[in-house]
Amino acid sequence: KEWFSDNTYYHLIGYLIHSGKLISDIFELSINSKKSDFKGKLKKEIKDILKMEKERIKLDDLSYNDDKEKIKNVLLLFNILSTMNSKNSYFSFQKYDDEKWSLEHIHAQNSKSLNTDEQRRKVLEEQKDYYSDLNRNEITSEIDKLLEQQEIEKNSFDQLQTKIDDDGNNNLIHNLALLSSKDNSALSNYTFKEKRQKIILLDSEGSFIPLCTKNVFLKYYSKETTQNEKWTQKDGKEYIKTMEETINSFIFSEEKNGRKN
């Protein structure tokens, strides 16, 4: 009952349980432990789950293809800590289970099933801006060639999407967020602007949108935002920076007795 009613215990223990830890093992950690020591042990368990070999977590290179489970664990913890830090609400672990959350690409991905010229053109225009920021001239040039066509031919479009998928930049953590499987399926082929509009609509209709996912599409983490049409490299870097700061500042925070856990 104490763990459930305590804001910190509720969120940390909830995270550990949903990452595969047994409640009996967590109880063992608490035996003969002061509160500060117990919280330190919980933080160490979280560090082990995230495989934080170095003192502070760095996330830039995590990719969907190679680090899918770690990315999911990181994003789950980011959502839980952000909810915990808000003080006014509790993270809904039941909805996390019931709705089977999965990874959603913020910037358009899995675009091969787009069937109309208008849909393909919107995605290509967004991808052009995205890869221009990266100075990926080869991909940008191929996008330009397709956009110059009066009607974008599906096979050429699909071949380019395969190349973009293989490139990997779309699959890094700065382009990923958590969403329920149902909402993820409904959004998967849309541009950032369209996804943003649908996120706002789903939220207004009562869908449970994870706090950090909502913040991403509202560009809450982006400084000096000048547009809400596209997800840029700068947006992604600021998103990652906030994620790292949130996790590191909690894991390495000092308790009231001055000890670092």
Side-chain angles (χ1 to χ4, degrees), residues 89-124:
S89 58
Y90 276 52
F91 184 87
S92 179
F93 290 104
Q94 183 172 346
K95 287 185 177 179
Y96 175 75
D97 279 341
D98 293 346
E99 297 178 2
K100 296 179 172 59
W101 288 7
S102 59
L103 297 174
E104 160 71 3
H105 286 83
I106 301 166
H107 165 76
Q109 180 79 350
N110 297 328
S111 303
K112 294 178 187 176
S113 61
L114 299 180
N115 295 316
T116 70
D117 181 75
E118 181 183 8
Q119 289 175 319
R120 293 175 199 141
R121 199 168 293 277
K122 283 181 179 178
V123 167
L124 287 173

Side-chain angles (χ1 to χ4, degrees), residues 107-112 114 119-134 136 139-140 143-144 146-147 157 160-165 170 191-192 230-231:
H107 165 76
Q109 180 79 350
N110 297 328
S111 303
K112 294 178 187 176
L114 299 180
Q119 289 175 319
R120 293 175 199 141
R121 199 168 293 277
K122 283 181 179 178
V123 167
L124 287 173
E125 286 170 350
E126 183 175 77
Q127 289 174 337
K128 179 181 176 180
D129 287 345
Y130 188 81
Y131 282 95
S132 293
D133 283 349
L134 286 170
R136 300 303 296 273
I139 290 179
T140 305
I143 292 173
D144 278 333
L146 287 184
L147 287 172
F157 176 81
L160 179 56
Q161 294 308 304
T162 297
K163 185 171 185 176
I164 287 173
D165 290 350
N170 265 4
T191 63
F192 175 81
K230 299 177 176 69
W231 183 249

Side-chain angles (χ1 to χ4, degrees), residues 198-245:
K198 289 183 179 294
I199 287 284
I200 293 171
L201 177 62
L202 287 167
D203 187 47
S204 69
E205 291 176 343
S207 285
F208 180 68
I209 308 297
L211 176 61
C212 298
T213 301
K214 190 189 306 183
N215 286 344
V216 158
F217 284 96
L218 295 178
K219 292 208 173 185
Y220 179 85
Y221 307 116
S222 304
K223 299 176 181 177
E224 300 178 1
T225 301
T226 57
Q227 52 80 24
N228 290 315
E229 307 286 307
K230 299 177 176 69
W231 183 249
T232 67
Q233 283 289 303
K234 185 178 179 182
D235 293 325
K237 287 179 181 178
E238 290 172 347
Y239 172 47
I240 288 296
K241 183 180 178 182
T242 305
M243 201 181 303
E244 289 176 345
E245 288 175 348

Side-chain angles (χ1 to χ4, degrees), residues 75-87:
L75 291 177
L76 176 59
L77 181 61
F78 183 41
N79 275 276
I80 289 171
L81 292 181
S82 297
T83 304
M84 183 181 80
N85 291 339
S86 72
K87 306 293 184 183

